[in-house]
Amino acid sequence: MISESRASLFEGAVNALPFSVLAVDGAATIVYGNDAWRRSATALQVRLPDTGIGHAYIPVLDSVLSVKPSDREQVERGLADVLAQRVLAFEHETPVWLRGVRRWFRVVITGAAGQSGALIQHLETTETHRQLEARVDALAHFKAVFETAIDGIVIFTDDLRFVNGNPAVERMLGRPQDELYDRRLTNVLNAEQAENVRAQHAELLRTGSQRGIFSVTRPDGSVIDLEYVARANFVPGRHVAQLRDITAARQMEGQLRQAQKLQAIGQLAGGIAHDFNNLLTVVVGHADYLLDDVSRLSDDARESMQEILRASHRGADMVRKLTAFSRQERLRLEPVQLESLVLEVTSLLRRLVPETVAVLYSAAPDVPAALVDAAAVQQILFNLATNARDAMPSHGGALRFEVQSHPDHVTLTVSDTGLGMSEETRARIFEPFFTTKAVGEGTGLGMSMVYGLMEQMHGQILVASRPGEGTQVTMHFPLVRQTREDGTARDANDAGTPRKTADTTGEDVLLVEDDDAIRALATRILQRGGYQVTEAGDGDVAARCLHDRKISGATPFALVVSDVVMPNGGGARVFDALNENALPTRLLWVTGYAGDETGDWRMRAPSDAPVLQKPWTATQLLTAVRSAIDADRVATSASS
C-alpha cells in the first residue's frame, strides 16, 4: 500500500503536469482527473458532475473533444486492448474543431502495472502540427520557386561536385541534370573556363560570398556568359549559386557601344564635311568663276581648270557621303512606289554588272507607297549592287531584288550568291572607312553611307551573311501613313525656274559669311552679276548693318544671303534682327550643314527661306540669289 504522504506527493506531481491526466478502472470508468483536466473540462463547459469523475471515459471524450466516429472507435478499441492487457499502451492523434478552430490532440493510454485500470493522457499537439505544416508549405514554395525560376540555381560541394540544380541550369548548360549529378562542374568546362571557375570558387570559400562572370561552352559549341552570385556553407559543406545568362545583354552592350561609336564618328564626319565644304566652295567657285570668262584662259588652262572642277565635284561627292553617314544630308521624303523605282534601277544595273551575273527582280502585287527619298534609295541600290558584283568575281552568280508588302512597312531585299562574310566582318560593315577591298579599291564609306541614309528615312537595315553562302540585305521602309512629314527647309534649286529681271542695278545684297575666302569669292561673283554687296562676318555684325539701314532711312536690302552656322549669333541672330527691325527683306540661307528634323537646331536654317547647299558654283549662287529676290512669297516668315 502506498503511504498517505507518498500518495499526496504523487497527486501533487500529477496536478502540476500541464496536460490532462485521467485514471480509469477496469470498467473504463474515470476514477481520477488532475487539475489540468478539471480546468480543461470547465473551459469546454462539460456539463457532467465533478467534471466527469465516475462516468465512462468514452462518452466523456465525446463531450470534451467531439472526435470523429472513426477516431472514437479506434480510441475505444485501444482502451479495451490496454484494459484487457492485450497491449501495454496505445496512442492515437486526431484533429478536432473547438469553437471553429482546428486543434490537434494525442490520446496516450498506458496500463497500470499489476493493477486493473489505465492512465490516459490528453496531449495537445496543435503547435507541432502547425510547425510541420509551415515547413511543408515552405518546402512547396521553395520547390515552386526553384523549379520555375528564370535564373539558374545550383547546389554544389566543397570540391565543386554538382548536388542539385533547377531546370534553368539544365537549359543554360545544355545538359540534363542526370548527366551533371555528382560530376565536378569544372569537368563540363574547357580548360580555361575551368581554371577561372576554380579561382572564383577558392575566393568563395575564403570570403563566404562571391559574385562574378564566367563563360561556358555548351555541347553544341555555343558559348554563353553567365553572371553568378554565390554563398558558401548555407549548410556545412554545401554551397549555392544563382546563375544568370547575360549573353544577350552583353551583345546589346556591344551593339550600344557600336552605335555610340558610329554616332561619335558621325559627328566627327559632320564637322570634317563642313570644313571640306568651305574649302571646296572656294575651289569650285573660283574655278567656275574663271571658266565663265573665256577671254582669261587659254585652251590648256581651261582644260586644267575643268579637271580641277571635276576633281572638286568628286570631293563634293565624298563630302555628301560623309554627311549622309553623319545624318546631315537633307533628304526629301515623299510617297514612292518602290517596285517601280527598283524595276527602273535594275534595268540600269544590267549595264553595271558583268554578263555572268543574272539580275533578277520580283515584287508582290499592290505594294503600298513608302515614304522615302527616291534618289537616296537609288544610291543605296547602286552601292549594294557594286558590293554584290565584287563578291562574285570569278564565276558570276545571281543578284536578286525583291519588294514585299507588310501591314506596317515595305521591305526591299537585295541578295547575292557571292562569297559571303564572316560574323566578324558582318559586325563591322557599317563602320566608316572599314573595307575588305584592297588598298585603292574602296573608301569604306559605302555601307556607312547606306546606314546613314536608312536612318534618315526612319527605316531599318538588316544584313545576313555566311562565308560561301552569299549575302542578304533587307531594308524596312515605313508606309506613308505612319511617318511624319519631312519638315526640312526647301532648297533654293527647287524654287522652279527663276524669273529673270532685265536689270539688277541698284539691288543691294547683305552677304553674311564667317569664312573670309568664301565671303570674298561670293562678293566678286555677286558684284560681277550686277549687285551692290555689303559684307558681314557674323550674325552680330549683320544685325548692326540691318539696324543701321533702317535708321538711315535707306532702301532695305533686296536680299540677305547668310550662312547658318557662324560665331556671334549665326543665322538665328540674322533672322531675329530682320524681325526686330520689321524689314521686308528676303532671305537666302547658305550652309555646309543640311540637318534634318532630328538634328541640332544650330545646324538648321531658322526659317523656311530657301537654302543653297555648299559647295556651290558661281552659276548656282547667282541663280539662287535671283530666284530668292523674285520669289512671290515673303521668305522671312518664321517656321513652325
Side-chain angles (χ1 to χ4, degrees):
M1 296 292 293
I2 301 176
S3 66
E4 185 177 342
S5 61
R6 293 182 64 186
S8 177
L9 179 62
F10 172 78
E11 184 176 359
V14 172
N15 283 329
L17 294 174
F19 51 85
S20 299
V21 177
L22 297 173
V24 297
D25 60 15
T29 300
I30 301 174
V31 295
Y32 172 79
N34 70 346
D35 288 348
W37 162 258
R38 295 177 185 279
R39 290 194 300 270
S40 176
T42 301
L44 295 172
Q45 299 178 352
V46 176
R47 291 181 172 85
L48 292 173
D50 199 19
T51 60
I53 306 300
H55 294 267
Y57 170 72
I58 295 300
V60 172
L61 176 66
D62 286 340
S63 66
V64 174
L65 296 181
S66 300
V67 296
K68 294 187 298 184
S70 58
D71 291 321
R72 179 184 185 279
E73 291 175 2
Q74 289 190 56
V75 173
E76 188 173 14
R77 285 198 302 269
L79 177 59
D81 289 341
V82 171
L83 292 176
Q85 298 184 354
R86 288 190 290 270
V87 296
L88 296 177
F90 168 81
E91 285 189 28
H92 182 70
E93 192 170 43
T94 179
V96 298
W97 289 89
L98 295 177
R99 297 175 182 174
V101 178
R102 189 176 70 163
R103 296 164 66 178
W104 289 81
F105 286 89
R106 178 182 293 119
V107 178
V108 180
I109 304 174
T110 55
Q115 299 184 29
S116 175
L119 201 63
I120 303 176
Q121 304 171 59
H122 293 168
L123 306 173
E124 184 170 1
T125 58
T126 303
E127 187 60 31
T128 301
H129 272 273
R130 286 175 180 169
Q131 292 176 358
L132 179 61
E133 288 174 354
R135 287 196 295 270
V136 171
D137 287 344
L139 182 61
H141 294 160
F142 167 77
K143 184 177 181 181
V145 172
F146 186 79
E147 296 290 337
T148 61
I150 298 175
D151 290 344
I153 302 172
V154 59
I155 299 172
F156 53 97
T157 63
D158 288 338
D159 60 352
L160 281 170
R161 288 188 180 276
F162 181 92
V163 175
N164 200 357
N166 65 345
V169 170
E170 298 182 23
R171 292 193 297 270
M172 289 178 183
L173 301 183
R175 300 173 185 270
Q177 189 164 172
D178 292 344
E179 185 179 327
L180 295 169
Y181 182 73
D182 203 34
R183 290 187 65 186
R184 285 190 174 90
L185 296 176
T186 50
N187 290 346
V188 301
L189 307 174
N190 64 39
E192 181 179 353
Q193 295 166 349
E195 185 59 32
N196 184 27
V197 169
R198 275 191 288 267
Q200 292 171 328
H201 181 60
E203 182 70 11
L204 169 66
L205 296 181
R206 187 180 68 82
T207 62
S209 63
Q210 177 73 0
R211 64 173 57 241
I213 296 173
F214 66 95
S215 299
V216 173
T217 301
R218 302 198 293 187
D220 62 3
S222 61
V223 179
I224 63 171
D225 296 320
L226 295 179
E227 181 181 42
Y228 74 91
V229 178
R231 188 170 186 85
N233 295 308
F234 69 96
V235 296
R238 293 291 185 270
H239 321 290
V240 63
Q242 178 182 349
L243 309 177
R244 177 167 295 175
D245 186 349
I246 60 171
T247 307
R250 281 196 155 188
Q251 291 173 347
M252 291 182 65
E253 288 176 6
Q255 293 171 356
L256 176 60
R257 286 193 295 270
Q258 179 74 356
Q260 291 172 336
K261 181 169 65 173
L262 290 174
Q263 182 181 15
I265 296 175
Q267 293 172 348
L268 174 64
I272 294 173
H274 177 260
D275 292 341
F276 266 91
N277 265 329
N278 285 343
L279 295 173
L280 289 170
T281 298
V282 175
V283 175
V284 171
H286 277 289
D288 191 58
Y289 181 84
L290 292 174
L291 285 172
D292 195 46
D293 191 343
V294 179
S295 63
R296 295 191 181 190
L297 298 176
S298 65
D299 290 343
D300 287 344
R302 175 172 293 277
E303 184 177 347
S304 295
M305 194 59 64
Q306 288 173 340
E307 284 298 325
I308 292 173
L309 198 58
R310 280 192 287 269
S312 299
H313 285 309
R314 288 197 298 271
D317 181 64
M318 179 70 73
V319 169
R320 279 192 293 273
K321 290 182 179 180
L322 285 171
T323 55
F325 172 74
S326 62
R327 307 181 189 183
Q328 292 174 1
E329 183 181 23
R330 184 176 64 251
L331 301 184
R332 303 188 182 281
L333 303 185
E334 56 187 2
V336 173
Q337 295 297 142
L338 280 180
E339 68 275 22
S340 300
L341 177 64
V342 176
L343 182 60
E344 178 183 344
V345 171
T346 55
S347 63
L348 298 174
L349 289 178
R350 288 186 172 88
R351 303 188 189 97
L352 174 67
V353 300
E355 294 181 356
T356 55
V357 175
V359 178
L360 308 175
Y361 167 76
S362 64
D366 302 323
V367 177
L371 200 68
V372 300
D373 182 293
V377 175
Q378 289 176 336
Q379 193 171 8
I380 289 172
L381 293 179
F382 276 108
N383 189 282
L384 295 178
T386 301
N387 289 345
R389 178 199 64 190
D390 296 341
M392 298 180 285
S394 301
H395 305 292
L399 174 60
R400 179 180 295 276
F401 297 83
E402 184 176 7
V403 180
Q404 291 290 331
S405 175
H406 300 272
D408 58 349
H409 64 280
V410 177
T411 59
L412 169 55
T413 302
V414 181
S415 57
D416 65 64
T417 58
L419 300 174
M421 295 178 284
S422 66
E423 182 61 26
E424 292 76 13
T425 299
R426 190 199 63 77
R428 299 187 61 190
I429 58 172
F430 294 127
E431 292 184 14
F433 308 112
F434 172 77
T435 180
T436 58
K437 298 177 182 178
V439 176
E441 294 183 8
T443 63
L445 287 173
M447 290 304 292
S448 62
M449 178 202 66
V450 170
Y451 177 88
L453 292 175
M454 289 300 298
E455 286 286 299
Q456 289 185 79
M457 291 186 287
H458 314 292
Q460 184 182 22
I461 181 169
L462 302 174
V463 179
S465 184
R466 286 188 178 183
E469 297 182 12
T471 299
Q472 178 175 289
V473 179
T474 302
M475 291 161 284
H476 300 256
F477 297 98
L479 299 180
V480 173
R481 65 176 181 273
Q482 293 183 331
T483 308
R484 297 174 298 170
E485 293 182 1
D486 181 48
T488 54
R490 186 174 66 90
D491 194 288
N493 294 327
D494 291 336
T497 303
R499 291 197 303 265
K500 303 296 182 181
T501 56
D503 185 13
T504 61
T505 304
E507 289 182 321
D508 288 346
V509 173
L510 175 60
L511 175 63
V512 190
E513 170 61 61
D514 63 306
D515 188 289
D516 295 339
I518 295 178
R519 190 171 66 251
L521 171 65
T523 298
R524 290 177 63 187
I525 294 172
L526 291 173
Q527 287 175 341
R528 193 172 74 174
Y531 299 97
Q532 300 293 324
V533 180
T534 300
E535 298 183 32
D538 57 48
D540 287 343
V541 174
R544 287 196 297 270
C545 289
L546 292 169
H547 178 71
D548 293 345
R549 177 60 67 104
K550 180 180 180 182
I551 295 300
S552 67
T555 303
F557 291 108
L559 180 69
V560 175
V561 180
S562 176
D563 194 6
V564 175
V565 181
M566 296 179 294
N568 301 324
R573 182 70 185 96
V574 175
F575 182 68
D576 291 342
L578 283 172
N579 289 332
E580 290 167 5
N581 293 283
L583 295 173
T585 304
R586 291 176 171 81
L587 266 171
L588 171 64
W589 298 115
V590 183
T591 183
Y593 297 105
D596 58 14
E597 70 274 9
T598 63
D600 190 333
W601 68 268
R602 291 168 299 182
M603 298 181 183
R604 299 200 308 268
S607 80
D608 63 350
V611 177
L612 176 61
Q613 187 73 34
K614 296 177 181 177
W616 40 258
T617 65
T619 302
Q620 288 172 337
L621 175 62
L622 291 171
T623 302
V625 167
R626 187 72 262 150
S627 176
I629 292 175
D630 292 344
D632 292 329
R633 65 187 178 87
V634 178
T636 56
S637 61
S639 61
S640 59

